Amino acid sequence: MADLIQTPYWWEEAPPRSVPNAPPARTDVVVVGGGYTGLNAAIALRQSGIAVTVVEAEDFGFGASSRNAGHVSSGVNLGKSAASSKVRSPMERRLLAALLEQLKNEAAASFDFLEARVGELGRNVEYRRSGRVVCASLPSHFDALRAKSAKMTRDGVHLFERAAQRRVIGSDIYHGVMTIDRAGQLHPGKYVQGLVDLAMDEGAQLCSNCSVTAIERRHGGFRVKTRQASVDCDQVLIATNGYSDGLYPWVRRRIIPAASYIVVTDVLPEGMIEELLPNGRTAVDSRRLLSYFRPTPDRRRILFGGRASLRMQDAGRVAQELAGRLHEVFPQTKGIAIRNAWSGRIAFTFDLLPHFGEHGGIVYALGCNGSGVAMQSYLGHMAGRAMAGKERSAFWNLDFPTMPFYRETPWFLPAVTGWYRFRDVLERMTGV
């Protein structure tokens, strides 16, 4: 892989953008982080007549907003804690059920919001409601998909036994698949740059390469110190997700930055993409260290990503493992070179829920758990609405757990990666 390009494929048509404005001395709201969350929040704030400045540590589009695969899912994993009711009273269980229904409704609403938002942008972000295919890596995983499908009535779900799965995916490695109609794909780089355009058109002040060094309480508001200047404001939103640092330790202790890796092939032979993904859906498998893939928007290459390691490593080295996974899923691609390889940071939470709310007067919105294109866009929008004094989401101020002895370094990620890898191998050997 000597000629490997170690920058995102998306940057070729939508590179990160410098917006070299100096922060103002005073504004109503400072948004820290200029990705999907921060930009959608800024748009909502400006549409409510509130002055807002977005400060981004890098160029706009440098982080996960243009490093992801561009999968747009129709919901969100509601977390491992959400289903637990062993020690709850009947009243608590009823209240929990009502809350879960609200969260499910908003998770579905995030998809509708994303589709509406891309229609408002001044550039084509190559969005397509393509559908999604979830691939069962083991027979027991297909049984789990069958059970799950019964609860997904709003999403347009269809099951294909292994004997029929070639209608959906050109691979024999899986043990059946589930398709979901309410899902899509876009060009993430063009999407984030479209949000930059819209935010500026609405009158938001955007400042790139403007990292924040401190947030201090001051005279009923805040002083946000950046490397360029200090900004006084009434409210602050933290929207840094997997790129959060020690700026606000309370938040940082509640998220787990983890790595995800993506490769893109060289141009495929004519007609091959129709063989691999006949309807051009996005796809994901059911392993713990999962893989995900899709056609590029021009349908000439395949993008293949995965959690080969949860730690940040050299993308070129991990590219070899992802290429091996690609060839295992699609033996037809053997001999086709890998052209691009890169990594990005996602943010997990301990309960696998996205979180937004307020702590110590500072608003936060983060924790996409690897499915953030629609959900983080929506939560950014709702954070802006809440800061403008409008309606609040059911996700607002949910209990946001951490764990003992966790500060800022995810010391447990090597062990988690090893355990997940072991469990994946064990399941494949035993078939259960």
Side-chain angles (χ1 to χ4, degrees):
M1 297 188 181
D3 298 325
L4 193 67
I5 301 170
Q6 293 197 41
T7 53
Y9 172 79
W10 311 119
W11 290 8
E12 296 175 16
E13 293 188 342
R17 188 179 352 173
S18 174
V19 186
N21 293 322
R26 167 79 196 172
T27 189
D28 294 334
V29 177
V30 171
V31 175
V32 184
Y36 298 159
T37 310
L39 291 169
N40 277 293
I43 292 164
L45 285 160
R46 285 301 306 137
Q47 290 174 343
S48 296
I50 294 173
V52 57
T53 298
V54 182
V55 290
E56 165 58 45
E58 305 283 351
D59 288 340
F60 283 91
F62 176 83
S65 288
S66 68
R67 294 174 180 267
N68 67 83
H71 292 207
V72 182
S73 52
S74 57
V76 65
N77 182 351
L78 288 179
K80 61 186 179 183
S81 64
S84 176
S85 60
K86 293 181 180 178
V87 294
R88 302 181 191 275
S89 69
M91 176 63 77
E92 288 174 322
R93 288 197 293 270
R94 284 195 295 272
L95 291 174
L96 177 63
L99 173 60
L100 286 178
E101 190 61 28
Q102 288 180 287
L103 298 180
K104 290 177 183 177
N105 289 338
E106 287 205 50
S110 72
F111 180 77
D112 298 326
F113 171 80
L114 188 284
E115 289 197 324
R117 174 68 7 125
V118 299
E120 297 167 356
L121 301 180
R123 66 171 70 198
N124 178 12
V125 303
E126 300 185 68
Y127 174 74
R128 185 168 70 91
R129 189 186 278 208
S130 58
R132 177 182 180 90
V133 55
V134 184
C135 306
S137 299
L138 290 168
S140 60
H141 294 183
F142 186 70
D143 293 338
L145 290 178
R146 189 189 304 278
K148 185 177 181 180
S149 68
K151 303 175 183 179
M152 299 176 66
T153 55
R154 73 180 89 196
D155 294 316
V157 173
H158 311 276
L159 291 167
F160 295 82
E161 303 272 357
R162 188 174 192 180
Q165 72 185 21
R166 277 261 175 178
R167 293 165 55 188
V168 175
I169 184 169
S171 177
D172 297 318
I173 194 174
Y174 297 116
H175 297 265
V177 301
M178 177 177 74
T179 62
I180 304 170
D181 294 341
R182 260 175 61 92
Q185 58 191 266
L186 49 66
H187 189 302
K190 291 183 179 180
Y191 175 50
V192 71
Q193 295 305 329
L195 292 174
V196 168
D197 293 337
L198 181 55
M200 291 194 296
D201 289 346
E202 292 287 352
Q205 179 89 333
L206 270 55
C207 308
S208 64
N209 297 287
C210 188
S211 56
V212 176
T213 59
I215 302 173
E216 299 176 350
R217 288 191 171 278
R218 188 176 180 88
H219 305 312
F222 298 91
R223 172 163 289 181
V224 178
K225 294 184 175 181
T226 75
R227 296 195 185 279
Q228 286 83 352
S230 295
V231 187
D232 290 334
C233 61
D234 300 320
Q235 298 182 85
V236 176
L237 169 65
I238 302 291
T240 45
N241 208 46
Y243 292 79
S244 299
D245 55 20
L247 178 65
Y248 194 45
W250 185 88
V251 163
R252 182 64 184 79
R253 288 191 62 233
R254 285 160 173 78
I255 62 166
I256 309 161
S260 197
Y261 300 86
I262 295 177
V263 297
V264 171
T265 66
D266 209 340
V267 175
L268 300 175
E270 187 73 26
M272 181 177 282
I273 198 68
E274 282 71 29
E275 177 187 353
L276 303 183
L277 291 164
N279 297 290
R281 295 180 176 93
T282 64
V284 63
D285 70 20
S286 60
R287 297 197 297 180
R288 289 173 177 82
L289 291 177
L290 58 80
S291 299
Y292 49 89
F293 42 99
R294 57 165 287 189
T296 54
D298 61 8
R299 296 181 62 79
R300 300 179 66 210
R301 310 170 192 269
I302 192 162
L303 177 151
F304 194 95
R307 295 171 194 161
S309 170
L310 297 177
R311 294 182 295 167
M312 292 300 298
Q313 299 186 42
D314 177 71
R317 189 175 71 80
V318 177
Q320 297 182 8
E321 178 176 342
L322 289 182
R325 289 193 194 183
L326 168 63
H327 299 153
E328 183 181 21
V329 175
F330 297 123
Q332 307 95 311
T333 63
K334 289 181 180 178
I336 298 171
I338 298 298
R339 181 176 182 272
N340 295 73
W342 70 94
S343 62
R345 295 182 201 164
I346 56 180
F348 286 103
T349 60
F350 288 98
D351 60 2
L352 300 181
L353 282 170
H355 283 271
F356 95 114
E358 183 177 1
H359 179 267
I362 295 176
V363 179
Y364 56 87
L366 66 182
C368 66
N369 297 287
S371 300
V373 177
M375 197 66 201
Q376 290 302 136
S377 296
Y378 173 78
L379 289 185
H381 171 74
M382 294 304 294
R385 299 279 295 175
M387 296 173 83
K390 301 183 186 299
E391 75 277 14
R392 288 185 175 177
S393 160
F395 283 92
W396 180 266
N397 275 350
L398 295 177
D399 182 50
F400 199 171
T402 182
M403 68 175 289
F405 310 114
Y406 178 54
R407 294 295 180 265
E408 295 181 10
T409 302
W411 46 266
F412 42 80
L413 283 186
V416 172
T417 302
W419 175 245
Y420 282 0
R421 194 179 298 277
F422 170 74
R423 289 294 303 278
D424 284 336
V425 170
L426 182 64
E427 284 188 350
R428 292 184 70 177
M429 291 175 61
T430 62
V432 294

